[in-house]
Amino acid sequence: MKRCLIGGVFYFCTMISSKAVLLSLFLISYNALSAQWLSKQNLIVKINVEQKKIDIQCLQVWPAQESIAVLLHQNFKIDSIVCNGKKIDFSRKDSLLTLDIRGFENQKKAISYYYHGKPKEAVNPPWDGGFVWKKDNNGKPFIATAMQDIGAYHWFPIASKFDCGFNNSVVTCTYPKDLFFKGNGRLVQDFIQPEQRTTSWETKTPISSYNICLNIGDFIHLSDTLSRSDGSKLSLDYYPLSYNKEKAIKQFEQVKPMLNCFEKHFGEFPAQKDGYSIVEAPFAGMEHQSAIAYGNKYQNGYNGFDYSGIGLSFDFIVIHESGHEWWGNSVKACNSIDFWLQEAFCTYAEYIYVKCLFNDSIADKYINHKRTLVTNAASILSGKKSGIDMYSKGALMIRSLQNFCKTEDDWFQILKQFALEHKHKCITTEELIDWWSKQMKIDLKPFFKQYLETTMIPEVVYSVEKKKNTFIYTAKINNVVDGFSLPVIWSNGSTTYKTIFLNNQEIAFELDVENAQPNIEVSYFNLRP
């Protein structure tokens, strides 16, 4: 019998039908389904607002490889799939498509998918995502997408639910002419026909699949520019609903100081080619790259209440979702288990913003308030439900990590280096720990294990004894993993005396004062005198 090689596995080819080969390809592809970044995607979308349906042509450029499997939600009926101009066969099981690319294995492939159907409608966006079909206050359609938690395969093919995306993305949408479509990146074309309007947007910065979005509504356009000290500029564009123009002008005054702060500490805006943009959305918010979804109703705090917990007045959605342009859209998690790093560093960015806007003391109080949001219901890396611990506990962990540096300048230099070295790249938890260990010149595996893999909160225990003209402090940390150590700052009010590295062994040290205490505001531990 003749043998043939398919996807790296030998099959006996005698009397094997094309259907059987497709089944074999399906089994191989299902097991090999993995992250994939492609050079280009071009989406052409036609919206049927009344029926809540979409008709799509999706072109993706794939490299030479022996097999291709993608996810596309089973709600859609596939009309055809074309590879390099030739219609090809495919197999389908639920939302998994396996393409028959025999004859194209060693070629760069332009694959076009033609399909239509009714996409999943979001129940509680952005957390339970999908398409959002709403009406604005004037009864006009107000449409958006939110795909982070459920995966972009709910409206176009992707190689995996999490780490996949495109170096270049174009989205063209046809929709009712009295509305406007705002997508990611910059406007490419916009023309109005008698009954409909067609608009195209393009990103030239690598973009994760879940960030690609549709926003259709009665938008107006407000434009501004961020001028930097070096003479360079960043375009700022806002798309509020028409009746919210004045509110948007006032509320988005917060953007420039925030961007100045973030660029100082994290480096230049990562999507410089595509510009910074906010578009009003029918849900709270989402970090859609260069088209940040905003639904905080042009008020400070979060949904009308003081999210800071200490009486600060700023728009939480503007600040947090913009922080994701660095932490999530640029420096990104490779796998779902690593997703904590996007939210932890972004929540830490809130602390940086408060530090820029107010002062160090208020910033420390701001991040210390995050303690009240930690549930410790499960460890962050457990894969179990742990509330918003990846945000709050993660940010507290990073603030604690900061204390390993001798000076604040050293810390921010390393932090910016981390952001720049991993710009438009994904990173795993293991790679992150290795990188920071190398920079800090200390093994940080126990440190990260403590906060990411356990629910234990370190507990500092200490005592003070007067001896002649000095005071002897004895201290250690309980409730920690083996090898864990933590730099603990000893202070009294605004006066800082010394930083001592503590572990689970008692350490004795001298101070000239009796009333120094471990500073609990700048490091995540509990205190038991």
Side-chain angles (χ1 to χ4, degrees), residues 2-152:
K2 181 182 177 182
R3 295 197 303 167
C4 59
L5 182 66
I6 302 175
V9 179
F10 280 104
Y11 289 87
F12 292 103
C13 292
T14 303
M15 298 180 66
I16 295 181
S17 67
S18 60
K19 184 176 180 180
V21 172
L22 279 172
L23 176 60
S24 300
L25 285 168
F26 169 80
L27 293 172
I28 296 168
S29 300
Y30 186 84
N31 292 326
L33 196 62
S34 61
Q36 183 92 43
W37 278 77
L38 302 180
S39 61
K40 184 178 182 62
Q41 174 171 273
N42 193 335
L43 278 175
I44 301 175
V45 185
K46 187 173 183 179
I47 295 278
N48 186 321
V49 177
E50 290 74 22
Q51 297 182 18
K52 299 182 180 179
K53 291 182 178 180
I54 57 176
D55 192 302
I56 291 185
Q57 175 188 347
C58 176
L59 168 67
Q60 295 177 344
V61 178
W62 286 72
Q65 59 188 64
E66 294 182 340
S67 63
I68 293 178
V70 296
L71 297 169
L72 179 64
H73 199 272
Q74 59 204 56
N75 281 9
F76 296 109
K77 180 180 178 181
I78 299 173
D79 302 308
S80 63
I81 301 177
V82 175
C83 179
N84 289 354
K86 180 182 177 182
K87 187 175 180 179
I88 61 173
D89 293 326
F90 61 92
S91 65
R92 189 175 197 179
K93 181 174 176 58
D94 299 326
S95 296
L96 179 66
L97 299 180
T98 304
L99 311 189
D100 182 0
I101 58 169
R102 287 173 293 166
F104 299 102
E105 295 93 335
N106 299 319
Q107 302 176 26
K108 185 177 181 180
K109 291 170 276 292
I111 299 177
S112 293
Y113 305 82
Y114 299 83
Y115 55 96
H116 64 277
K118 191 171 184 177
K120 177 186 180 298
E121 187 167 355
V123 176
N124 183 29
W127 302 280
D128 185 351
F131 268 67
V132 184
W133 308 87
K134 297 287 186 180
K135 299 282 188 180
D136 67 17
N137 292 347
N138 294 328
K140 292 186 177 183
F142 191 16
I143 303 165
T145 55
M147 300 291 173
Q148 184 181 58
D149 284 353
I150 65 172

Side-chain angles (χ1 to χ4, degrees), residues 368-387:
N368 190 53
H369 176 72
K370 300 292 184 183
R371 290 170 171 269
T372 65
L373 306 177
V374 178
T375 67
N376 271 322
S379 68
I380 291 173
L381 293 185
S382 67
K384 300 177 182 178
K385 292 183 179 180
S386 58

Side-chain angles (χ1 to χ4, degrees), residues 101-254:
I101 58 169
R102 287 173 293 166
F104 299 102
E105 295 93 335
N106 299 319
Q107 302 176 26
K108 185 177 181 180
K109 291 170 276 292
I111 299 177
S112 293
Y113 305 82
Y114 299 83
Y115 55 96
H116 64 277
K118 191 171 184 177
K120 177 186 180 298
E121 187 167 355
V123 176
N124 183 29
W127 302 280
D128 185 351
F131 268 67
V132 184
W133 308 87
K134 297 287 186 180
K135 299 282 188 180
D136 67 17
N137 292 347
N138 294 328
K140 292 186 177 183
F142 191 16
I143 303 165
T145 55
M147 300 291 173
Q148 184 181 58
D149 284 353
I150 65 172
Y153 74 97
H154 282 78
W155 71 299
F156 59 80
I158 56 174
S160 68
K161 182 180 174 182
F162 196 74
D163 180 36
C164 61
F166 310 91
N167 293 334
N168 173 256
S169 170
V170 178
V171 180
T172 300
C173 187
T174 300
Y175 54 97
K177 70 172 185 178
D178 60 337
L179 304 174
F180 186 68
F181 158 52
K182 169 64 177 102
N184 309 90
R186 299 194 184 275
L187 184 65
V188 176
Q189 66 174 12
D190 179 36
F191 59 92
I192 301 176
Q193 300 161 291
E195 298 297 329
Q196 58 190 20
R197 186 172 188 170
T198 300
T199 310
S200 300
W201 294 86
E202 179 180 18
T203 60
K204 294 184 178 180
T205 304
I207 184 169
S208 297
S209 60
Y210 73 81
N211 268 319
I212 297 175
C213 60
L214 286 179
N215 302 277
I216 301 173
D218 181 26
F219 300 128
I220 59 167
H221 178 208
L222 305 172
S223 62
D224 201 351
T225 302
L226 178 72
S227 298
R228 305 185 179 100
S229 59
D230 63 0
S232 63
K233 298 179 184 299
L234 174 66
S235 62
L236 310 177
D237 295 278
Y238 311 115
Y239 293 84
L241 292 173
S242 60
Y243 51 80
N244 284 328
K245 176 181 177 180
E246 297 305 320
K247 291 180 180 179
I249 291 173
K250 177 63 177 176
Q251 195 69 4
F252 296 152
E253 289 177 354
Q254 300 182 37

Side-chain angles (χ1 to χ4, degrees), residues 268-296:
E268 184 183 83
F269 184 73
Q272 174 74 27
K273 294 179 182 178
D274 300 324
Y276 175 90
S277 183
I278 295 178
V279 56
E280 190 167 346
F283 54 85
M286 179 56 66
E287 65 264 25
H288 295 150
Q289 186 172 310
S290 62
I292 293 168
Y294 175 83
N296 204 33

